[in-house]
Structures are given as structure tokens and as C-alpha cells.
């Protein structure tokens, strides 16, 4: 049996991100999702919303049918 896995090209927060320190955030998503590491990705509040910034994924943990993404915000385009 295979493991369901989504490959992501942007970080969609839905407002659930948590600041760890300065520009470092953590986001927990249901299911297994694969994000490229050390590459700038768009950050959006919703999938079809405007880009609010750019971030680099620093750490990715897949366990218990959950993905935990730790990312560093490198540019902020909007505070909304």
C-alpha cells in the first residue's frame, strides 16, 4: 500500500502559522506534504489569495499523518 503524499510549491498558512522567533515560523498541516528545502517559496494565507511574502523551508517533519513545516520568512509583501 502506498503513502498519500502531496508535493507543494507554495506555503499556504490559512492563518495557522506560529512564530517561533523573529522571522522563524512553524506550521502544522494534515496529511503528508513535501516542500523543497532551502529554496524561496511564496507564502499565502489562502491557496488562491495574494502572495504575502517569501520563505525558505528550514525543516520538514512527516509523522502521524501530519506535516510540520518550519520556515524562515525572508520577504514580507503585505501584513494582511
Amino acid at each position: 500500500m502506498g503513502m498519500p503524499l502531496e508535493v507543494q510549491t507554495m506555503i499556504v498558512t490559512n492563518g495557522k502559522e506560529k512564530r517561533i522567533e523573529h522571522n522563524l515560523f512553524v506550521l502544522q498541516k494534515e496529511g503528508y506534504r513535501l516542500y523543497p528545502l532551502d529554496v524561496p517559496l511564496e507564502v499565502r494565507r489562502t491557496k488562491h489569495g495574494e502572495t504575502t511574502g517569501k520563505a525558505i523551508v528550514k525543516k520538514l517533519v512527516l509523522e502521524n499523518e501530519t506535516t510540520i513545516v518550519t520556515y524562515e520568512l525572508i520577504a514580507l509583501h503585505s501584513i494582511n
Side-chain angles (χ1 to χ4, degrees), residues 8 10-14 42 44-50:
Q8 304 294 309
M10 70 179 107
I11 300 169
V12 180
T13 65
N14 292 312
E42 290 183 355
R44 296 181 182 188
R45 185 174 278 296
T46 63
K47 183 176 179 179
H48 299 291
E50 291 185 26

Side-chain angles (χ1 to χ4, degrees), residues 10-29 35-39 41-45 52-60 68-75:
M10 70 179 107
I11 300 169
V12 180
T13 65
N14 292 312
K16 296 181 181 178
E17 72 279 12
K18 293 188 173 125
R19 184 184 301 263
I20 300 173
E21 60 181 45
H22 305 292
N23 291 335
L24 203 59
F25 293 83
V26 67
L27 177 65
Q28 185 170 325
K29 305 282 270 182
Y35 293 84
L37 300 173
D38 300 322
V39 175
L41 299 174
E42 290 183 355
V43 177
R44 296 181 182 188
R45 185 174 278 296
T52 58
K54 292 251 184 211
I56 295 177
V57 175
K58 295 297 186 179
K59 182 178 177 183
L60 191 60
I68 301 169
V69 184
T70 303
Y71 63 91
E72 180 182 5
L73 194 61
I74 58 171

